[in-house]
Amino acid sequence: MPALPLSLAAICDLACEPALLPRVRMAIAMIAQEVFAEPPDTIGHPMRWNLAKTVLSPTEAQAAQMMVGIVASPPMVAAAAATGFPDSVNMAAAITDEQILSAIRQGWNAVAGVSPNDSALRAVAET
């Protein structure tokens, strides 16, 4: 496994950054709307839809729980490292909204409980 581009302490500081939490809450609600609009035959749709229903208006506690996974995801770690800032305040400010949305989109299935094998099984069945 490759070395992390940031220390665990830096990732933890970012996950605890108060300025990032409201943006993450809004991004979660935006992705929930996308999930509501997806076709019912989307892999893991029932679980994805249920998560969307649950977090449509995420409380601060829900967003804080999800934030650890979001910030620790490869796209967010890479985005944070690319900012070049050593502190969480400037890192959080430099991470774009699209980077946050992308990280949530990429991690939605895992949070919803959709198995990575579901995609592989469907791909085999369609060939």
Side-chain angles (χ1 to χ4, degrees), residues 50-127:
N50 191 49
L51 176 61
K53 180 181 67 164
T54 303
V55 300
L56 181 59
S57 298
T59 64
E60 190 165 326
Q62 286 171 318
Q65 288 173 337
M66 289 182 73
M67 191 139 117
V68 171
I70 292 164
V71 169
S73 70
M76 281 293 284
V77 170
T83 69
F85 292 111
D87 64 291
S88 62
V89 172
N90 285 313
M91 254 189 260
I95 294 171
T96 68
D97 291 347
E98 191 51 47
Q99 288 169 316
I100 295 170
L101 290 165
S102 179
I104 294 170
R105 280 185 195 107
Q106 290 182 36
W108 197 270
N109 280 352
V111 175
V114 178
S115 168
N117 294 332
D118 289 349
S119 297
L121 292 174
R122 182 175 281 182
V124 169
E126 291 175 353
T127 57

Side-chain angles (χ1 to χ4, degrees), residues 20-40:
L20 188 58
L21 186 59
R23 294 174 63 205
V24 167
R25 286 180 72 185
M26 209 35 56
I28 291 168
M30 299 297 293
I31 302 305
Q33 294 294 332
E34 290 178 10
V35 171
F36 286 140
E38 70 188 15

